[in-house]
Amino acid sequence: GMFVLGLPYAILHGGYLGLFLIIFAAVVCCYTGKILIACLYEENEDGEIVRVRDSYVDIANACCAPRFPTLGGRVVNVAQIIELVMTCILYVVVSGNLMYNSFPNLPVSQKSWSIIATAVLLPCAFLKNLKAVSKFSLLCTLAHFVINILVIAYCLSRARDWAWDKVKFYIDVKKFPISIGIIVFSYTSQIFLPSLEGNMQNPKEFHCMMNWTHIAACILKGLFALVAYLTWADETKEVITDNLPSTIRAVVNIFLVAKALLSYPLPFFAAVEVLERSLFQDGNRAFFPNCYGGDGRLKSWGLTLRCALVVFTLLMAIYVPHFALLMGLTGSLTGAGLCFLLPSLFHLKLLWRKLLWHHVFFDVAIFVIGGICSVSGFIHSLEGLIEAF
């Protein structure tokens, strides 16, 4: 996705360890995705494995029952909302950044470009279903192919000048934890997996699908990050397209802005769904009255709240316009939690009696390593943002 653009920056501060981490994160995210789906199933009286839960929230609630039957779901909802909203903010940040660097001679600041991008995104408040969102996602995928081809083609054209000696077995102790967050954030998909598996024609193929998609993602991300870093070495910037010559950069950045704007509706729609379900539609436990009328139409104040969410992403993008640091912060805070910590914890809690010793070892190791990386990445990303200001 869009955040592959930050991976060469991770290699800049991690060398070969950064490449190893891209592979390691793929393996761990693939494993935690599988164990998360395993938590949806239980064995019935006849010894058959049946699906008894439908979502990440259901798994969390099952782990906290009977004492705190809704606590786990609320924690997961908060983490999901933070991750989805931060993703939206990053799309606005990268749109303003790219347009400003594409047309530096125009008397328009990066903040002004972010405002223009948000004005284009305001109609997202009217989205009602995934059908419209899926059309944007298709166009987004096509734009991404063009971007990757252009960037990699330029890098290959400079293959004779690649700085292999710059890739070393060293880490920038202060900035590498930020790279961990960037890499983790580029793999986060756990919040979508229960719905994805539930809608598969043949759910038994889920493990095979996870293996091949993560292998493909790992290879493509690793090659893209390495090739881009070899081309620019120590001059590698937070968003790798900023390194391109001005003529090519303008073309690539326009496609990137189009991709960012087309990508925005999916996390925005998902965030709105989580907010509406948890705050407005959760039966007697809802905090506020339903934002939909009896005819299914969105009430005016419900539309106002959606518009306010779009404006909030703009304000955050204006006041915290640092792509890599924001991505590292989000990956460390919610990405690590949703991808590493919670799946391994839930797996141990719900399936403890059926786990083999090596499953227990993997779960505990992932939880410990994920916790250390999460805390370290969060602290260093926060320090980086403070320094940037």
Side-chain angles (χ1 to χ4, degrees):
M2 190 78 179
F3 307 110
V4 73
L5 299 175
L7 292 180
Y9 187 75
I11 304 298
L12 172 66
H13 297 301
Y16 284 112
L17 189 58
L19 280 176
F20 169 76
L21 195 60
I22 291 174
I23 300 169
F24 179 75
V27 173
V28 173
C29 286
C30 182
Y31 173 76
T32 56
K34 292 176 182 177
I35 63 175
L36 183 69
I37 296 303
C39 293
L40 297 172
Y41 291 84
E42 284 188 4
E43 193 174 297
N44 63 13
E45 296 176 355
D46 300 324
E48 297 175 338
I49 303 296
V50 293
R51 202 176 202 260
V52 296
R53 303 178 188 96
D54 293 320
S55 66
Y56 208 140
V57 171
D58 290 341
I59 296 171
N61 284 333
C63 286
C64 294
R67 288 189 177 182
F68 308 101
T70 61
L71 177 62
R74 288 177 181 175
V75 171
V76 168
N77 271 336
V78 169
Q80 286 180 333
I81 291 167
I82 292 173
E83 174 133 333
L84 292 166
V85 172
M86 287 294 284
T87 303
C88 293
I89 293 168
L90 281 166
Y91 285 134
V92 178
V93 169
V94 80
S95 296
N97 178 284
L98 292 170
M99 291 302 292
Y100 178 72
N101 285 295
S102 298
F103 306 102
N105 296 323
L106 291 179
V108 183
S109 66
Q110 182 173 332
K111 293 180 180 179
S112 299
W113 281 119
S114 295
I115 293 171
I116 294 169
T118 307
V120 175
L121 294 169
L122 204 55
C124 290
F126 296 90
L127 290 171
K128 292 183 178 180
N129 53 56
L130 277 172
K131 188 174 183 179
V133 175
S134 66
K135 294 177 181 177
F136 290 121
S137 296
L138 173 62
L139 294 172
C140 168
T141 304
L142 295 175
H144 193 62
F145 273 116
V146 175
I147 294 161
N148 280 358
I149 290 170
L150 288 174
V151 174
I152 291 175
Y154 177 80
C155 291
L156 291 175
S157 71
R158 292 185 54 189
R160 292 181 180 179
D161 302 321
W162 280 357
W164 286 100
D165 58 313
K166 294 289 184 178
V167 189
K168 299 177 181 178
F169 288 97
Y170 80 99
I171 59 170
D172 184 329
V173 177
K174 191 171 183 179
K175 293 191 175 181
F176 184 63
I178 301 172
S179 301
I180 296 173
I182 292 172
I183 292 168
V184 170
F185 193 63
S186 74
Y187 279 108
T188 53
S189 63
Q190 269 69 359
I191 59 177
F192 302 108
L193 293 182
S195 176
L196 175 64
E197 192 264 353
N199 284 284
M200 289 179 70
Q201 286 187 338
N202 186 2
K204 292 181 180 179
E205 294 182 350
F206 178 80
H207 280 215
C208 180
M209 179 276 294
M210 288 291 287
N211 291 337
W212 284 109
T213 51
H214 280 76
I215 288 171
C218 175
I219 293 171
L220 291 172
K221 288 177 181 180
L223 288 175
F224 183 90
L226 180 60
V227 165
Y229 175 72
L230 288 173
T231 304
W232 289 287
D234 294 338
E235 296 178 5
T236 300
K237 296 183 180 179
E238 289 186 20
V239 182
I240 195 61
T241 52
D242 287 347
N243 286 104
L244 291 168
S246 56
T247 50
I248 302 174
R249 183 171 68 232
V251 176
V252 172
N253 282 358
I254 288 171
F255 274 101
L256 274 171
V257 171
K259 176 176 167 51
L261 298 178
L262 291 167
S263 299
Y264 185 96
L266 179 59
F268 176 82
F269 185 78
V272 166
E273 273 199 324
V274 173
L275 285 168
E276 289 180 348
R277 187 172 60 250
S278 57
L279 299 179
F280 301 94
Q281 299 170 357
D282 196 13
N284 295 326
R285 295 194 297 264
F287 291 96
F288 305 103
N290 201 322
C291 51
Y292 290 92
D295 57 357
R297 291 186 178 182
L298 188 66
K299 294 179 182 177
S300 57
W301 64 271
L303 180 61
T304 303
L305 289 174
R306 288 183 172 208
C307 292
L309 183 58
V310 177
V311 174
F312 174 75
T313 61
L314 167 65
L315 294 175
M316 286 293 292
I318 287 175
Y319 290 106
V320 195
H322 301 283
F323 180 73
L325 292 174
L326 266 179
M327 188 160 58
L329 183 68
T330 307
S332 301
L333 182 63
T334 60
L338 292 169
C339 289
F340 298 160
L341 305 182
L342 293 182
S344 54
L345 187 64
F346 294 162
H347 195 227
L348 288 169
K349 170 70 174 175
L350 294 175
L351 301 173
W352 172 260
R353 295 180 181 179
K354 300 177 183 178
L355 297 180
L356 299 174
W357 71 268
H358 61 275
H359 290 142
V360 175
F361 174 77
F362 288 150
D363 290 348
V364 172
I366 289 170
F367 185 85
V368 173
I369 295 172
I372 294 171
C373 292
S374 178
V375 173
S376 176
F378 177 75
I379 291 172
H380 285 85
S381 296
L382 207 56
E383 287 179 350
L385 284 172
I386 292 169
E387 285 182 10
F389 282 99

